[in-house]
Amino acid sequence: MDKVAKALASSLQNLDLNPPSNVKPKSSITIAHPQFPGLLPKKTKPPSLVSLCVGVIGRHLEDIIVDLSEIAVNLPADIKIAVAAIARRRKLLNDDVLIALADTSWEILDVSGSDVSDFGLTKAAEVCRFIKALDISRCTKITANGISELVKHCRLLETLRCGGCPRSDNTARRCLGIFKPRFDYVEEESWEELDTKEIASGAQSLRWLVWSNIDKNSLEDFSTECPRVVVNPKSSPFGFMGTEVPQEALQNIILDDEVVKDIDPRTWTMHGIAPKPISPSSSSTELSVAEKFRLAFVERDNRLAPKRAKNARQHQRRAVRELMLMSTRAKAMVLAFQVSKSLHGRSS
């Protein structure tokens, strides 16, 4: 027994719990947060079925873009804004696409780097009156006239992202008078007859302006004429003058990234690769996605036609029974008809 105890004690003494110096421990892969490097990333989960379907629509967006106004009628608001974000990334966002997808419940809108013009922005502003954050940076077709219409319709606008190219920078400089709240001249005899909409105009709710390459003179003009508008705010745990800087007002974010976070990025990145050549025989017989949708609807309609006819007959018989129960005269007429029909059958 003593020999066993001595052997066990010697083996424990020789046991080295420290790993060899030439063996490196396994390092875990950590992806730093873009704004707060100390935070751990969230665990990724598999995409939902809705995200996969939106990804399919995004990959074939050019095939259905002609009929998008009809297709988008039945789409929910979150699907519409996701399709708009994919269209922007695929350089397909223009006036027609924006007008077709615009929804009244949108609170953010990102048209940066797109072909949207004053016309499309105005039409979208007429629909999306609850927009709080908008990105029009690098939009060469948007002028001060479009911004004026935007401010007129979207009175809850708090964050505006602009600039990014010489033409967009020039548009932002010309919009100082539009952003500045002002009192209008009214001709009323008493204060009771005045309406607040008639007294004030301009971007009354605008609070944050993101203009990365703003020049010194424009920055001084904004600081003097619009002191309540903060230009290029920076993230801080204490906020800015007691007000927390919203996520949409930070410079290093993309406004519509949140709406496509669950969608495979290959939906818009793989379109830069040259497509494989298609033989003439296969291209002539290939149906577009819109035509496939139409044929599927027709097939479903034909499949449900017998069921609709059966339901119509049941509804008719039910109506006849209810009429017989409610009206004695109608019951007598139905019975007389049945009797006459049976007598006619016997005589023949």
Side-chain angles (χ1 to χ4, degrees), residues 52-251:
L52 294 175
C53 293
V54 173
V56 173
I57 295 175
R59 283 192 290 271
H60 300 279
L61 192 57
E62 67 274 9
D63 295 328
I64 64 173
I65 206 167
V66 178
D67 304 314
L68 188 59
S69 58
E70 300 178 4
I71 298 174
V73 173
N74 298 318
L75 293 179
D78 56 338
I79 304 299
K80 290 182 181 180
I81 196 170
V83 174
I86 295 174
R88 187 185 68 81
R89 285 162 171 77
R90 294 197 52 197
K91 306 298 181 183
L92 296 174
L93 186 60
N94 53 25
D95 290 345
D96 296 333
V97 175
L98 180 61
I99 294 172
L101 295 172
D103 191 89
T104 55
S105 63
W106 285 2
E107 293 187 357
I108 66 168
L109 178 59
D110 192 340
V111 297
S112 58
S114 67
D115 292 330
V116 174
S117 66
D118 289 344
F119 176 77
L121 184 64
T122 302
K123 291 297 182 181
E126 293 175 356
V127 177
C128 311
R129 293 179 175 269
F130 299 101
I131 290 292
K132 295 182 179 179
L134 173 68
D135 192 342
I136 57 170
S137 57
R138 306 185 311 280
C139 288
T140 58
K141 297 183 179 180
I142 293 179
T143 66
N145 295 329
I147 302 300
S148 177
E149 293 296 323
L150 169 74
V151 171
K152 184 188 302 182
H153 296 289
C154 301
R155 296 184 175 273
L156 300 179
L157 183 65
E158 298 177 354
T159 304
L160 182 66
R161 308 173 68 91
C162 58
C165 67
R167 185 170 296 182
S168 184
D169 291 339
N170 184 45
T171 299
R173 293 188 193 97
R174 298 178 59 188
C175 290
L176 176 60
I178 300 174
F179 297 150
K180 181 174 61 176
R182 61 183 181 274
F183 288 102
D184 297 333
Y185 178 76
V186 291
E187 297 180 354
E188 300 294 344
E189 296 182 356
S190 64
W191 285 100
E192 290 78 6
E193 298 177 1
L194 293 178
D195 188 3
T196 55
K197 294 182 179 180
E198 296 178 354
I199 298 175
S201 61
Q204 303 176 44
S205 60
L206 186 63
R207 176 66 170 164
W208 316 99
L209 181 68
V210 181
W211 184 359
S212 58
N213 54 341
I214 185 173
D215 58 280
K216 184 178 180 180
N217 293 332
S218 299
L219 181 59
E220 291 178 355
D221 291 341
F222 270 98
S223 301
T224 304
E225 301 292 338
C226 305
R228 67 188 305 270
V229 177
V230 182
V231 181
N232 296 331
K234 296 181 180 180
S235 177
S236 172
F238 305 103
F240 184 85
M241 297 180 63
T243 304
E244 183 179 359
V245 179
Q247 182 78 10
E248 297 81 6
L250 301 178
Q251 296 189 51

Side-chain angles (χ1 to χ4, degrees), residues 271-293:
H271 290 273
I273 304 174
K276 297 181 179 180
I278 303 174
S279 59
S281 58
S282 62
S283 61
S284 60
T285 57
E286 182 69 20
L287 297 176
S288 64
V289 177
E291 182 65 16
K292 290 179 182 179
F293 271 111

